[in-house]
Amino acid sequence: MTLNLCVLTPNRIVWDSEVKEIILSTNSGQIGVLPNHASIATAVDIGILRIRLNNQWLTMALMGSFARIGNNEITILVNDAEKGSDIDPQEAQQALEIAEANLRKAEGKRQTIEENLALRRARTRVEAINAIL
Amino acid sequence: MAMAALRREGRRFAPMISPRPITALRSSPLAPSLEDECPIGVRYISTQVVRNRMKSVKNIQKITKAMKMVAASKLRAIQTKAENSRGLWQPFTALLGDLPSANVKKNVVVTISSDKGLCGGINSTSVKISKGFHKLNSGPEKETKYVILGEKAKAQLVRDSKKDIELIITELQKNPLNYTQVSVLADEILKNVEYDALRIVFNKFHSVVSFVPTVSTVLSPEIVEREAESGGKLGDLDSYEVEGGETKGEILQNLAEFQFSCVMFNAVLENACSEQGARMSAMDSSSRNAGDMLDRLTLTYNRTRQASITTELIEIISGASALEG
C-alpha cells in the first residue's frame, strides 16, 4: 500500500507520485503519515517535508499552507515549495545571513514580522539542504 | 467600322449623362452609391477618393493583423501558467464542494474583466451574468454587492448599479500576474467586504475559440459549517480531523481565505487567456473583413478608372467627328 502524494504550488505541480511515508511539519508539531492514516485536514507551517521512497529520504522546503490527508491520498497546497536537491547551498546560506541581518535592522512591528517570516523561510531552505547530507 | 461602333456607344451613353452634385455624393456612404452609379459611367467620382479609401483600409488591415499576432504570442505565454494553476483549486472543490445554489444572505459578486477593448464579447457576457445574478439574489433579506476588476466591467456596471459597487480595481495587467500579487488583492477584498458567499464571475478558457463564462463559489466559514450540518458533500468535512492550530474555526477561516486567493488566481489567469484568445479571433475577422472591403474597393476603382477613360475617349471622338462632319 502506498500513498499518493501531490504537492501543488500556484505556479506548478512540484510532486505527483507515490511514496511510502512522509513527515510533515504543521503548526502544532511534526506528524508522520503512513498508509491508511486517518483523514486529516491540517495547516502546514513553514518547514521541511520529508518523503521516503524505498528507504531513501528526500527533503522539500515548504512555505506554508494546507494539507489534506485521506484515503491514502495526500494533497499539499503550499505557497511555495522547493526540492532540497534544487537549492543551491551557497545561495541559501547567503539568503539566511541577509535575512538575519535584516531582522536585526527591522523597526516597527510589521517589518519585524515580515523579516521573521523571511528568516524562517531562509532557514528552512538551508535545513533542507543539510538534511540530505 | 470602329468609328461607327464608337458613335453608337456615344449615342447610348449621351442621354444618360446627368449632372450630379459631387458634394452630395461624397457625404453619402461611398461603396453602395458607387455601385449604383457606376454602370452609367459618369465622371463625377474621382479615382483619388477611392484610392485614399483603399490606402486607409489597407493600413487598418495591417494593424489588425499585427494585433492578432501580438495577442497570439501573449496567449502562448499565459496559457501554460493558467493550466498549471488549474490543479490548485481542484482539491478545494473535492473537499468543500462548489455550491452555486447555496442560499445566503450576503452575496458578493466578483466580476473579472479586461482593461483594454477590442476583445470580442467576453466582457459583455461577464457583466450580463453578474447582473443576472444580482437580479436573482436581490430580495427582502438577500443582498448582492459587486467587486469589479477591470475597466470594461466598471464602465458597464457603473451606469446602473452604482450604489451596489463595493470595490473597483483596475490596471491589473500592469503588475506581473503571479500568485503573490493576486493574494494581496484577495486580501484587500476580504478585508473590506463582508460576505457570506463570494461568486467569482470570469471567462474560462477552454480553447482558442471557446470561452465559457463561469461562476465559482467560495463560501465563508460560517456557511460552510451550516452546510456541513445539512449533509451532502460538505458533510464529509466533519469526518476529517482538523489539526494544526488552536481551534477548528480558525483553520477553516484560513482555509477559506486560501481557497479564495487560489480560485482568484486561477480566475484571473483564465480570464486573461480568454481575453487574448477573443482578441485574436476579433482581429482575425476584422482583417478578413478589411480584405473583403479592399477587394470590393479595387473593383470599384477599376470600374471608375475605365469609366473615366471611356468618357474621355467619347469626348475626343465626338469632338473629332464634329470637326470632320
Side-chain angles (χ1 to χ4, degrees):
Chain A
M1 290 285 290
T2 44
L3 300 167
N4 256 330
L5 175 67
C6 254
V7 180
L8 300 167
T9 66
N11 297 329
R12 62 200 172 104
I13 305 180
V14 177
W15 186 280
D16 186 13
S17 70
E18 297 196 348
V19 299
K20 289 270 165 51
E21 177 187 346
I22 69 166
I23 298 184
L24 188 61
S25 71
T26 69
N27 284 341
S28 50
Q30 296 204 337
I31 60 174
V33 180
L34 288 163
N36 290 328
H37 197 283
S39 302
I40 276 195
T42 169
V44 170
D45 207 7
I46 300 178
I48 311 187
L49 167 73
R50 267 180 258 259
I51 308 174
R52 176 165 74 92
L53 308 142
N54 297 329
N55 295 331
Q56 196 204 6
W57 286 96
L58 275 174
T59 43
M60 215 184 280
L62 298 176
M63 306 303 170
S65 218
F66 279 97
R68 186 184 91 148
I69 304 167
N71 284 348
N72 286 332
E73 293 256 345
I74 308 177
T75 316
I76 307 185
L77 294 166
V78 281
N79 286 328
D80 200 8
E82 284 181 63
K83 283 206 192 117
S85 43
D86 288 340
I87 305 178
D88 179 21
Q90 298 281 27
E91 191 238 326
Q93 193 68 26
Q94 268 177 342
L96 181 62
E97 280 155 25
I98 296 177
E100 278 172 2
N102 278 340
L103 182 60
R104 259 171 270 140
K105 269 192 296 170
E107 296 161 24
K109 194 163 179 207
R110 178 182 158 155
Q111 266 205 323
T112 321
I113 299 178
E114 281 183 11
E115 294 309 325
N116 241 324
L117 282 178
L119 179 65
R120 287 170 72 193
R121 283 198 289 265
R123 199 175 283 147
T124 311
R125 296 175 78 217
V126 173
E127 278 177 19
I129 308 172
N130 291 337
I132 314 176
L133 301 168
Chain B
M1 257 321 268
M3 290 297 281
L6 281 169
R7 230 177 302 153
R8 247 180 283 134
E9 291 221 84
R11 248 182 271 133
R12 204 195 313 150
F13 277 106
M16 293 194 217
I17 293 180
S18 44
R20 276 196 176 234
I22 301 182
T23 45
L25 202 69
R26 287 241 177 91
S27 60
S28 57
L30 209 54
S33 63
L34 281 179
E35 280 168 71
D36 293 329
E37 311 305 339
C38 267
I40 306 184
V42 185
R43 199 188 39 181
Y44 51 75
I45 201 76
S46 75
T47 55
Q48 188 67 27
V49 173
V50 186
R51 236 183 319 173
N52 283 341
R53 192 160 158 115
M54 275 170 62
K55 197 163 65 166
S56 70
V57 171
K58 206 183 287 189
N59 284 338
I60 292 183
Q61 190 184 32
K62 280 192 211 163
I63 292 175
T64 50
K65 248 192 215 160
M67 282 182 76
K68 172 186 166 192
M69 284 193 271
V70 166
S73 72
K74 282 195 188 165
L75 179 67
R76 260 192 306 258
I78 313 187
Q79 201 171 347
T80 36
K81 265 205 229 168
E83 283 177 9
N84 285 339
S85 78
R86 269 191 206 153
L88 199 61
W89 55 265
Q90 272 155 5
F92 285 114
T93 327
L95 179 66
L96 296 170
D98 191 11
L99 296 169
S101 58
N103 210 358
V104 291
K105 295 217 188 69
K106 294 215 185 83
N107 283 299
V108 175
V109 174
V110 181
T111 317
I112 307 190
S113 67
S114 64
D115 283 333
K116 306 216 183 101
L118 293 180
C119 49
I122 53 173
N123 291 325
S124 321
T125 42
S126 294
V127 169
K128 213 172 13 172
I129 291 198
S130 313
K131 282 197 194 159
F133 219 90
H134 180 95
K135 217 185 273 192
L136 252 148
N137 282 335
S138 298
E141 292 188 344
K142 310 194 254 181
E143 61 168 41
T144 318
K145 298 254 170 215
Y146 289 110
V147 170
I148 303 181
L149 267 74
E151 286 278 349
K152 293 284 152 187
K154 165 180 156 198
Q156 293 189 22
L157 284 172
V158 141
R159 253 183 287 154
D160 43 359
S161 319
K162 194 151 184 196
K163 56 184 174 51
D164 279 332
I165 300 180
E166 288 272 351
L167 204 58
I168 302 182
I169 305 170
T170 51
E171 309 212 338
L172 269 174
Q173 310 275 357
K174 295 233 170 122
N175 306 326
L177 271 179
N178 54 17
Y179 182 66
T180 353
Q181 295 283 348
V182 178
S183 55
V184 166
L185 213 64
D187 211 15
E188 279 289 329
I189 298 181
L190 286 171
K191 259 192 296 194
N192 292 334
V193 176
E194 49 171 82
Y195 66 98
D196 283 334
L198 281 160
R199 321 266 173 179
I200 308 180
V201 177
F202 63 102
N203 290 86
K204 196 168 167 108
F205 182 77
H206 280 268
S207 80
V208 182
V209 293
S210 102
F211 328 104
V212 181
T214 19
V215 179
S216 294
T217 314
V218 174
L219 300 170
S220 78
E222 299 97 18
I223 304 290
V224 169
E225 286 280 343
R226 195 183 76 186
E227 297 284 332
E229 277 153 40
S230 61
K233 191 72 176 285
L234 286 179
D236 293 336
L237 188 61
D238 277 338
S239 68
Y240 279 79
E241 188 186 315
V242 178
E243 277 192 26
E246 262 82 84
T247 61
K248 181 174 173 184
E250 186 189 324
I251 301 289
L252 282 182
Q253 171 98 359
N254 280 339
L255 192 63
E257 289 179 10
F258 188 48
Q259 181 189 9
F260 179 51
S261 68
C262 285
V263 177
M264 270 278 282
F265 182 57
N266 184 51
V268 168
L269 281 178
E270 300 252 358
N271 204 52
C273 280
S274 307
E275 176 198 339
Q276 299 298 345
R279 188 166 294 140
M280 241 178 83
S281 70
M283 291 296 108
D284 182 43
S285 63
S286 74
S287 322
R288 227 175 305 138
N289 283 341
D292 287 343
M293 210 181 224
L294 209 55
D295 287 339
R296 266 180 300 160
L297 281 173
T298 311
L299 286 175
T300 314
Y301 176 67
N302 284 332
R303 252 180 287 155
T304 329
R305 188 176 51 90
Q306 288 165 350
S308 72
I309 293 177
T310 312
T311 45
E312 269 202 58
L313 271 174
I314 291 172
E315 281 181 8
I316 295 175
I317 291 171
S318 44
S321 66
L323 278 178
E324 279 176 32

